[in-house]
Amino acid sequence: MKYYTLSESTDTDIIGYYPQTDVSEDSEFFSVFIDFQTRIEEFPEHIPKYIIILNKKAYPTDFIERVGVPYGLVVNNKIKSLITLYSLPNHKFYDTEVIYKKSKLNYYWFHFYDDIFQYIDMKKSKFILKWRDVIQEFCFTSKEFYLSKEQETFGDFEKNLIIKEVYLLNSFPKYDIFHFEGRNIISEKLLNAFIENNITGYEVSEYDVLKLE
């Protein structure tokens, strides 16, 4: 099975104008002025109000540019109805208000997460750490070991960590969308559904480092 990275489109032929969105001054979610904290692995019952302004020159696509939150996707009801037919990790849809030309549109902040590291064959999976002309290749060994090497690259622009190949164990639930190392990943099956249903507002790129055992 092929997998692809999924991101919001920046193509103005598709979205009309870039940046497509801005966060409203009245938005509370992830605001520094609101005493509310959450992490990617958490699914709160409710979130503070999340308000996005869609630029008047932009198009209200099915996916719109996520703004003001560090993870998840902002989607309309068409996406919500479609994507729930597929294999998803833990997830929740939170009401999001989108303001477009003085009208209010109904969107959702789609938050999904499972710790993919638990499904990785640590001995077979490999990554590369580059420092100037020095290249070191490592097995993942453990989640903690990989993250410790990743930590080495933070703030050091001469070091670069590259995931070479990730083997997923048979225990992997074969999610059609999931989050891994800062990326939103979708299956070829879900991508085909997007194409067949004329979904708008997204871009994909093949992510060939993922391999099923």
Side-chain angles (χ1 to χ4, degrees):
M1 179 184 292
K2 291 183 179 179
Y3 288 96
Y4 299 81
T5 59
L6 172 71
S7 59
E8 301 95 340
S9 178
T10 58
D11 186 343
T12 54
D13 289 337
I14 295 173
I15 66 174
Y17 185 86
Y18 182 83
Q20 187 184 25
T21 63
D22 193 5
V23 65
S24 168
E25 292 181 356
D26 296 324
S27 185
E28 298 175 345
F29 191 34
F30 276 97
S31 168
V32 295
F33 303 107
I34 300 298
D35 186 20
F36 177 86
Q37 301 292 327
T38 189
R39 297 181 296 180
I40 192 170
E41 67 270 20
E42 297 174 340
F43 293 84
E45 191 64 29
H46 303 284
I47 63 170
K49 63 181 179 180
Y50 183 27
I51 307 174
I52 294 173
I53 298 171
L54 189 63
N55 191 288
K56 62 183 180 181
K57 296 180 182 179
Y59 307 140
T61 49
D62 300 315
F63 287 95
I64 64 170
E65 182 187 15
R66 184 193 74 236
V67 62
V69 294
Y71 48 83
L73 295 163
V74 179
V75 303
N76 63 8
N77 195 61
K78 183 178 180 181
I79 295 285
K80 180 184 178 184
S81 299
L82 175 64
I83 212 165
T84 50
L85 301 175
Y86 291 81
S87 178
L88 307 180
N90 295 332
H91 65 279
K92 197 171 181 67
F93 292 89
Y94 298 91
D95 289 336
T96 299
E97 184 178 308
V98 175
I99 300 173
Y100 180 55
K101 297 180 178 178
K102 298 183 180 180
S103 296
K104 293 182 180 180
L105 308 180
N106 294 321
Y107 277 75
Y108 304 91
W109 176 54
F110 173 40
H111 173 34
F112 53 95
Y113 181 76
D114 192 5
D115 185 359
I116 300 302
F117 279 94
Q118 65 185 305
Y119 308 119
I120 291 177
D121 186 324
M122 295 292 177
K123 293 181 179 179
K124 290 177 64 176
S125 301
K126 297 177 181 179
F127 65 93
I128 295 169
L129 189 63
K130 295 180 67 176
W131 180 68
R132 297 181 180 176
D133 295 328
V134 179
I135 298 176
Q136 294 177 288
E137 183 175 286
F138 299 92
C139 293
F140 270 59
T141 306
S142 68
K143 177 181 178 179
E144 292 71 24
F145 176 74
Y146 171 81
L147 293 180
S148 71
K149 292 298 182 182
E150 186 179 58
Q151 186 69 31
E152 289 183 21
T153 68
F154 291 162
D156 189 339
F157 299 107
E158 293 186 323
K159 288 185 178 180
N160 189 21
L161 186 147
I162 302 169
I163 298 176
K164 182 178 180 181
E165 52 190 4
V166 172
Y167 286 87
L168 297 172
L169 300 166
N170 289 330
S171 57
F172 175 60
K174 295 182 174 62
Y175 295 133
D176 289 303
I177 186 169
F178 54 95
H179 184 92
F180 177 62
E181 282 299 272
R183 301 173 178 87
N184 294 317
I185 310 292
I186 63 169
S187 67
E188 186 175 26
K189 181 168 63 174
L190 185 54
L191 174 58
N192 288 337
F194 288 170
I195 296 170
E196 291 168 7
N197 288 272
N198 298 311
I199 299 301
T200 59
Y202 71 96
E203 296 176 358
V204 294
S205 178
E206 187 171 352
Y207 191 59
D208 58 5
V209 303
L210 287 176
K211 306 176 190 303
L212 294 176
E213 291 193 335

